[in-house]
């Protein structure tokens, strides 16, 4: 079955999902603390990418009742990963009940800190959809998105650089700052390629530049530059026509690899395996999960065809 997704964006998702694994030392070699200090910014890329594609869903749900449209948008983002999330949560909950006797709050934070991505993504998209319906016009919504993005950038600066407010606000600011950036990108017309596609050399220039900045000190300015380059990468890559079923599968696998970090963190905390093997376990479980998901989809499609 041919995919309708942009193959380049799916490849980016697959490659970038390994940055958090490397940053947390769940890899074959030890991490050098002086390098790759901004690996967590890959989550910002996922926020931008989600915002870039969610606008078309918002327009599709605009004619439906508000609550029904809200449910379709929020649950539609979570539904493909619902089984995975429930399985990992149940496994971690059992392990906590059996083994944890001290520092319960610290253990809970370590195990479920990866879930904030799903939580804030769903919350951010849901709130933006409600604002979109309330403002009623595209122009007002664009102005709101610009103001929101700038406000969240200032909030991040206040928390990170000035140590103001609670550090947890960074998660809130990153999600409600990057998702609007992705939505704003969707309003910009893509460049129309003729015999020469200008998006290709720009993308080829952006990729090594991103890796160069990934090895720099984690400052507020570096964060902003990385987010700006992630945004440019999403925009110009969308102007390159490249579709592949294999790339689509790699994109789906990347999300599962990220979510299973909560699972392998449990194994690491309780010393159930060496952390150099955790990378293999993570990828193996994510691959098995994806295979089961594909089988379930085909089975449901077969049942539907037989009942028709």
């Amino acid at each position: 079955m041919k995919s309708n997704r942009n193959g380049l964006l799916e490849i980016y998702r697959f490659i970038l999902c390994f940055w958090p694994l490397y940053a947390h030392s769940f890899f074959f070699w030890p991490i050098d603390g002086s390098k790759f200090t901004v690996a967590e910014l890959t989550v910002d890329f996922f926020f931008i990418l989600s915002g870039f594609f969610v606008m078309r869903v918002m327009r599709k749900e605009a004619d439906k009742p508000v609550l029904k449209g809200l449910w379709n948008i929020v649950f539609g983002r979570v539904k493909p990963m619902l089984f995975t999330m429930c399985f990992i949560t149940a496994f971690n909950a059992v392990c906590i009940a059996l083994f944890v006797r001290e520092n319960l709050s610290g253990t809970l934070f370590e195990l479920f800190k990866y879930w904030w991505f799903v939580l804030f993504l769903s919350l951010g998209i849901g709130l933006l959809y409600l604002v979109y319906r309330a403002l009623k016009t595209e122009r007002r919504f664009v102005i709101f998105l610009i103001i929101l993005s700038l406000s969240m950038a200032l909030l991040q600066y206040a928390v990170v650089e000035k140590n103001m407010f609670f550090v947890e606000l960074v998660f809130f600011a990153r999600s409600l700052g990057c998702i609007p950036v992705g939505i704003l990108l969707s309003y910009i017309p893509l460049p129309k390629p003729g015999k020469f596609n200008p998006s290709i050399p720009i993308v080829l220039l952006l990729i090594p530049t991103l890796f160069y900045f990934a090895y720099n000190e984690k400052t507020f300015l570096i964060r902003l530059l990385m987010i700006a380059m992630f945004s440019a990468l999403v925009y110009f890559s969308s102007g390159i026509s490249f579709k592949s079923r294999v790339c689509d599968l790699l994109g789906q696998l990347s999300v599962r690899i990220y979510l299973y970090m909560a699972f392998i963190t449990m194994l690491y905390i309780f010393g159930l395996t060496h952390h150099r093997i955790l990378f293999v376990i993570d990828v193996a479980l994510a691959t098995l999960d994806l295979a089961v998901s594909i089988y379930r989809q085909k089975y449901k499609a077969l049942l539907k065809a037989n009942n028709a």
Side-chain angles (χ1 to χ4, degrees):
M1 182 175 65
K2 190 175 181 180
S3 172
N4 292 321
R5 299 187 180 186
N6 184 290
L8 283 178
L9 296 178
E10 298 305 310
I11 292 175
Y12 299 155
R13 290 171 64 188
F14 179 72
I15 295 175
L16 292 177
C17 78
F18 291 101
W19 281 19
L21 280 169
Y22 177 70
H24 293 286
S25 297
F26 296 150
F27 222 70
F28 291 117
W29 54 84
I31 183 173
D32 183 350
S34 64
K35 297 180 179 180
F36 248 64
T37 56
V38 291
E40 71 274 13
L41 289 182
T42 57
V43 179
D44 294 338
F45 172 81
F46 296 139
F47 280 138
I48 294 170
L49 192 61
S50 296
F52 185 72
F53 289 116
V54 79
M55 193 61 220
R56 67 183 66 174
V57 184
M58 286 187 180
R59 292 192 180 102
K60 183 180 179 181
E61 301 292 337
D63 295 332
K64 298 180 180 178
V66 175
L67 292 180
K68 184 176 181 180
L70 179 64
W71 172 262
N72 291 340
I73 287 179
V74 174
F75 187 70
R77 310 296 296 183
V78 178
K79 184 179 178 181
M81 300 307 306
L82 190 60
F83 173 80
T84 301
M85 294 169 62
C86 290
F87 167 72
I88 296 174
T89 302
F91 176 84
N92 288 354
V94 170
C95 289
I96 290 173
L98 293 177
F99 300 114
V100 175
R101 295 296 180 266
E102 299 177 358
N103 192 22
L104 178 60
S105 60
T107 304
L108 287 172
F109 175 78
E110 287 296 324
L111 292 174
F112 297 106
K113 63 183 178 181
Y114 306 105
W115 297 121
W116 74 263
F117 168 74
V118 179
L119 172 64
F120 280 93
L121 177 62
S122 302
L123 178 64
I125 289 176
L127 290 175
L128 290 173
Y129 172 74
L130 292 176
V131 173
Y132 175 68
R133 294 294 299 270
L135 295 179
K136 296 182 180 180
T137 66
E138 301 279 348
R139 182 178 179 181
R140 292 176 183 173
F141 188 54
V142 168
I143 295 174
F144 170 80
L145 292 174
I146 295 173
I147 295 174
L148 180 61
S149 300
L150 295 175
S151 301
M152 292 301 102
L154 291 175
L155 178 59
Q156 285 193 63
Y157 178 79
V159 175
V160 176
E161 298 294 322
K162 300 299 182 181
N163 295 320
M164 298 171 62
F165 311 112
F166 300 103
V167 68
E168 288 78 8
L169 282 176
V170 173
F171 299 154
F172 178 80
R174 287 170 66 182
S175 59
L176 282 184
C178 292
I179 296 174
V181 170
I183 296 177
L184 287 171
L185 288 176
S186 67
Y187 280 96
I188 305 175
L190 293 175
K192 296 180 180 180
K195 294 182 179 179
F196 173 74
N197 190 343
S199 296
I200 297 176
I202 294 175
V203 168
L204 292 176
L205 179 63
L206 279 171
I207 292 176
T209 306
L210 273 166
F211 276 92
Y212 170 77
F213 279 103
Y215 278 87
N216 278 268
E217 184 181 356
K218 185 172 58 177
T219 64
F220 179 73
L221 179 60
I222 293 297
R223 288 174 181 270
L224 286 184
L225 285 174
M226 291 283 288
I227 290 173
M229 286 187 289
F230 277 143
S231 303
L233 187 65
V234 169
Y235 173 75
F236 286 106
S237 296
S238 299
I240 302 175
S241 181
F242 177 68
K243 302 181 187 299
S244 168
R245 176 59 176 167
V246 174
C247 294
D248 186 14
L249 292 176
L250 290 178
Q252 295 181 51
L253 181 63
S254 67
V255 179
R256 288 167 169 81
I257 289 174
Y258 179 84
L259 291 178
Y260 270 102
M261 285 182 65
F263 180 90
I264 62 175
T265 300
M266 170 66 75
L267 303 181
Y268 179 52
I269 288 177
F270 295 115
L272 299 180
T273 185
H274 195 276
H275 67 107
R276 298 294 174 236
I277 309 175
L278 292 174
F279 167 75
V280 178
I281 297 175
D282 190 324
V283 175
L285 287 174
T287 304
L288 179 62
D289 188 299
L290 179 60
V292 172
S293 176
I294 294 173
Y295 173 79
R296 289 174 63 228
Q297 292 176 9
K298 291 184 177 180
Y299 181 72
K300 288 182 179 179
L302 182 61
L303 287 179
K304 185 176 181 180
N306 292 335
N307 293 332

